[in-house]
Amino acid sequence: MQNSFEPNFDSTTFSAETYFATQPEPPSLQDDLHDVSDFIDRQIEQGRKVVLVTSGGTTVPLELNVVRFLDNFSAGTRGATSAEYFLKQGYAVIFMHRQFSLQPFSRNYSHSTHPFLDFLEIDAVLPSSSTIDSVYPYSNDPSPSAAQPQITVKMSERAALLSVLRTYKAVQAEGTLHTLTFVTVNDYLYLLRAISKKMNNLGGKAMYYFAAAVSDFFLPRQKMSEHKIQSGKGSLHIEMDQVPKILKPMVSDWAPGGFIVSFKLETDQALLIPKARQALGRYGHQVVIGNDLHHRKHRVVLVSPAKAVPSSAKLGPDGIVTREYEESWIEIDPSLSAPQKEIEEEVVKELVARHDAWINRT
Ligand code: PAZ
């Protein structure tokens, strides 16, 4: 890798088969799969629809003993927020997210935007000796037998917290949320393949909602340096290979019975619709949601194949099916922000309606 990064598009394209034949399975995969299989079996028994929500960015390690890695932009807001609205719509949710990215419910109290310590209060005046020195470290309580002050939630925060907490507890009691984590793009690909194959047992009741930001390039294990890459020898050149396009095997092999929604992130809004159409033509899934980086919280476009595929549908150059598509924009007032109004509520409502219509199609 050079200091001024020059992308190199000549690198190898791995097929999904080659990828899984050459890259190692994550050590936790079988345990993760065991738990998620139990969860899916329970939802099948209960007749629920299940959505797999992916969320957060994947990393690409540059060393086996990893010190440096490339990351993909995503805080996990889209995925965590959407997961809550799917739960509200009666879906069971498998939430597959980047470790430490936002999660449903707790995302409302993120340490960077709404830290929970800031809305707690201690209801007794601390003794004058309670300087930072006297209360630190936390476990060193100077008077463990004395009456402890009560911790309370600020009045202004109570209603919102109660509402989040009630929903969270209800979801826990119903057992409708299952959470799994990934860090690297390799963890992500292995988990996705295993979960999708298992979810295929749900038939049409399975929805896939790919909000995670997944790296397009990776460094195969065989090319990684074992130890930390050393500096001091001038610029660094790393040739990365292309990550396989997993929507292809998703649609044809892993989850042919499911309703698949992918996301397309662009920084040039003019590319959203053409790129979304291109993805639908290539992979043949149900919906691509286009969002541009700077307006993603207020405006998205849902692109899907037109309901009646015209007889003019034909195989175009590169084997892409050429046919007609329809777009619907969802916008919310940009002056409203979470938690007043969240675009994910509208997106999820629309997808649930489309999923139901798709299940009941003749
Ligand atoms: O997680 P977040 O809310 O910060 O960002 C969400 C997003 C922009 C990563 C997501 O909406 C998205 O577009 N995911 C797919 C990215 C891609 O094209 O790979």
Side-chain angles (χ1 to χ4, degrees):
M1 183 185 296
Q2 289 169 307
N3 285 341
S4 58
F5 186 70
E6 285 291 327
N8 174 355
F9 292 106
D10 293 323
S11 33
T12 312
T13 303
F14 271 62
S15 68
E17 298 85 68
T18 315
Y19 182 92
F20 289 111
T22 56
Q23 303 307 303
E25 178 177 305
S28 58
L29 184 73
Q30 293 310 323
D31 286 344
D32 284 344
L33 187 56
H34 178 267
D35 295 346
V36 83
S37 293
D38 286 352
F39 179 82
I40 293 168
D41 289 342
R42 262 200 319 280
Q43 308 312 324
I44 292 176
E45 271 168 37
Q46 294 172 9
R48 276 208 186 82
K49 290 181 284 180
V50 180
V51 60
L52 170 65
V53 175
T54 70
S55 184
T58 61
T59 68
V60 174
L62 301 185
E63 297 129 342
L64 289 175
N65 290 288
V66 54
V67 174
R68 300 190 182 91
F69 55 87
L70 298 183
D71 207 346
N72 255 67
F73 160 85
S74 170
T77 315
R78 176 81 82 219
T81 309
S82 305
E84 284 183 27
Y85 287 110
F86 276 117
L87 287 162
K88 199 171 165 194
Q89 292 278 345
Y91 278 67
V93 174
I94 299 172
F95 186 67
M96 184 177 140
H97 73 105
R98 163 75 177 276
Q99 187 184 39
F100 308 131
S101 67
L102 294 178
Q103 293 193 49
F105 308 111
S106 64
R107 58 129 188 153
N108 295 288
Y109 299 97
S110 138
H111 62 276
S112 50
T113 53
H114 197 187
F116 82 94
L117 288 179
D118 285 354
F119 63 84
L120 297 180
E121 288 174 328
I122 302 174
D123 78 347
V125 178
L126 287 173
S128 54
S129 63
S130 289
T131 60
I132 187 76
D133 295 339
S134 69
V135 294
Y136 220 74
Y138 311 126
S139 58
N140 194 9
D141 189 330
S143 55
S145 59
Q148 296 293 307
Q150 295 295 307
I151 296 171
T152 55
V153 174
K154 271 185 193 164
M155 203 48 101
S156 57
E157 297 281 356
R158 282 188 195 177
L161 176 61
L162 195 61
S163 162
V164 172
L165 197 57
R166 279 204 175 117
T167 319
Y168 174 66
K169 296 285 181 196
V171 165
Q172 274 189 328
E174 282 179 357
T176 47
L177 174 62
H178 185 80
T179 297
L180 296 138
T181 59
F182 59 82
V183 177
T184 65
V185 67
N186 190 55
D187 300 339
Y188 176 90
L189 293 174
Y190 266 98
L191 264 179
L192 184 65
R193 181 176 69 157
I195 296 173
S196 307
K197 284 183 170 182
K198 179 70 196 175
M199 277 180 72
N200 203 38
N201 295 339
L202 286 150
K205 286 191 170 171
M207 192 199 292
Y208 302 84
Y209 182 85
F210 296 138
V214 182
S215 173
D216 286 325
F217 303 99
F218 80 112
L219 194 58
R221 195 174 173 85
Q222 296 75 2
K223 288 189 183 173
M224 279 187 207
S225 143
E226 183 183 353
H227 292 291
K228 184 184 163 197
I229 297 167
Q230 295 298 308
S231 59
K233 293 183 189 149
S235 39
L236 172 65
H237 298 257
I238 292 180
E239 186 183 57
M240 306 192 96
D241 291 338
Q242 218 181 307
V243 169
K245 300 290 181 198
I246 53 87
L247 278 168
K248 204 170 178 185
M250 270 297 298
V251 173
S252 55
D253 300 335
W254 306 347
F259 185 85
I260 301 176
V261 181
S262 68
F263 276 79
K264 176 71 57 196
L265 174 66
E266 294 295 340
T267 50
D268 175 357
Q269 188 174 287
L271 291 179
L272 284 180
I273 292 177
K275 294 291 279 253
R277 289 178 174 186
Q278 189 184 55
L280 290 171
R282 267 198 185 132
Y283 309 121
H285 57 303
Q286 283 67 40
V287 184
V288 176
I289 302 185
N291 52 171
D292 87 85
L293 185 66
H294 302 296
H295 303 101
R296 69 189 190 286
K297 292 188 195 274
H298 305 119
R299 188 167 66 213
V300 299
V301 58
L302 273 60
V303 186
S304 48
K307 277 186 198 79
V309 176
S311 56
S312 59
K314 59 180 194 299
L315 220 56
D318 308 330
I320 297 174
V321 178
T322 324
R323 58 182 170 189
E324 284 179 11
Y325 299 96
E326 50 195 26
E327 288 95 36
S328 38
W329 288 90
I330 296 181
E331 296 189 45
I332 61 166
D333 180 347
S335 67
L336 298 177
S337 57
Q340 287 167 293
K341 183 74 198 164
E342 295 173 312
I343 195 166
E344 288 79 5
E345 182 175 12
E346 302 307 319
V347 170
V348 167
K349 258 193 223 154
E350 175 63 26
L351 290 176
V352 169
R354 291 188 188 201
H355 187 199
D356 285 343
W358 184 80
I359 291 172
N360 297 321
R361 71 198 183 281
T362 46

